Amino acid sequence: MIAVITGDIINSRLVEPSLWLPNLKEILNTIGKEPQDWEIYRGDSFQLKVDAKNALYVALIIKASIKEDKNLDVRMAIGIGKIEYRTKKITESNGSAFVHSGECFDVMKRETLMVRSSNQEFDHIVNLLLSLATLTINSWTPATSEIIKTTLIYPNKSQKELAEFLNKKSQGNISEHLKRGGYDEILRLHNYYKEKIVALC
């Protein structure tokens, strides 16, 4: 069981690609190789495959990275399933993970983060939790996004180390942004998602 994330950048035409594209590529390069594991296409759309257990965590890192620009956001659909047909390009591969991701993305309206699998009960519960979580996530400021992204990438760093790494004023500054961004609650959501994915797989 893998996850395929299909996404696009919201309001990409308002911001020069040079201000967000390198950050997105940097994150995608830590996940796998282009074009087997990820591709960017049509200028502001992308697709990547990841381990199903890590899909939400990766999506949160991408979300935080893109929202470092106040004018941007990102819409992502996580499809859980299998790969039945592999090619050298992820956008030409196929299987239930790709079908679920595409179907999920097509029905997204105001939502910016959703999941679809072959288990409707799992989808219903996780998407309900995601809809509540994104009430906070969608309001992340650039400063909060930067701190949450860095904390997700370096979970073993202390708040003091994060403050030094990011050249922030103090540990209190890091703590304030993490609290404002709902970091602890989002981690609990990730852990719940991972637990349910393990059972689903």
Side-chain angles (χ1 to χ4, degrees), residues 21 24-26 28-41 45-49 87-91:
L21 190 55
L24 177 60
K25 285 186 173 182
E26 182 179 357
L28 296 177
N29 274 321
T30 66
I31 296 164
K33 295 182 179 180
E34 181 189 15
Q36 301 99 313
D37 302 313
W38 63 268
E39 276 190 89
I40 296 172
Y41 57 98
S45 298
F46 60 91
Q47 193 167 68
L48 65 147
K49 64 178 179 180
T87 70
K88 293 181 179 180
K89 298 181 67 176
I90 185 174
T91 51

Side-chain angles (χ1 to χ4, degrees), residues 64 145-155 157 162 165-166:
S145 298
E146 179 190 27
I147 289 171
I148 287 180
K149 180 190 82 170
T150 308
T151 307
L152 289 169
I153 294 174
Y154 302 105
K157 283 186 181 290
L162 288 169
F165 182 76
L166 293 170

Side-chain angles (χ1 to χ4, degrees), residues 6-133:
T6 302
D8 70 355
I9 309 301
I10 299 171
N11 296 328
S12 61
R13 294 182 182 180
L14 301 179
V15 180
E16 284 294 323
S18 60
L19 297 177
W20 59 265
L21 190 55
N23 287 340
L24 177 60
K25 285 186 173 182
E26 182 179 357
I27 292 168
L28 296 177
N29 274 321
T30 66
I31 296 164
K33 295 182 179 180
E34 181 189 15
Q36 301 99 313
D37 302 313
W38 63 268
E39 276 190 89
I40 296 172
Y41 57 98
R42 293 192 315 204
D44 65 354
S45 298
F46 60 91
Q47 193 167 68
L48 65 147
K49 64 178 179 180
V50 294
D51 185 278
K53 295 191 297 294
N54 299 325
L56 181 56
Y57 201 85
V58 169
L60 290 168
I61 292 174
I62 294 172
K63 187 84 163 171
S65 179
I66 296 301
K67 287 183 70 63
E68 286 185 82
D69 188 301
K70 65 180 181 180
N71 296 309
L72 296 177
D73 202 341
V74 57
R75 180 187 300 108
M76 287 175 285
I78 302 172
I80 309 295
K82 297 180 180 179
I83 297 180
E84 276 90 28
Y85 178 68
R86 297 175 186 269
T87 70
K88 293 181 179 180
K89 298 181 67 176
I90 185 174
T91 51
E92 294 177 0
S93 298
N94 209 332
S96 58
F98 293 89
V99 172
H100 290 150
S101 184
E103 289 177 346
C104 184
F105 191 79
D106 287 343
V107 300
M108 294 176 76
K109 295 177 181 177
R110 288 181 294 179
E111 301 90 352
T112 60
L113 188 57
M114 288 183 67
V115 65
R116 178 171 290 192
S117 70
S118 58
N119 187 306
Q120 292 184 359
E121 182 181 357
F122 168 84
D123 296 352
H124 176 74
I125 294 172
V126 172
N127 283 325
L128 177 60
L129 294 173
L130 286 175
S131 68
L132 294 172

Side-chain angles (χ1 to χ4, degrees), residues 57 143-179 183-184 187:
Y57 201 85
T144 297
S145 298
E146 179 190 27
I147 289 171
I148 287 180
K149 180 190 82 170
T150 308
T151 307
L152 289 169
I153 294 174
Y154 302 105
N156 295 323
K157 283 186 181 290
S158 68
Q159 290 185 3
K160 182 179 179 181
E161 290 171 328
L162 288 169
E164 293 172 355
F165 182 76
L166 293 170
N167 295 317
K168 298 299 179 184
K169 293 179 181 179
S170 65
Q171 175 184 341
N173 184 251
I174 299 293
S175 178
E176 179 185 344
H177 280 284
L178 291 177
K179 185 175 181 181
Y183 180 76
D184 288 342
L187 273 190

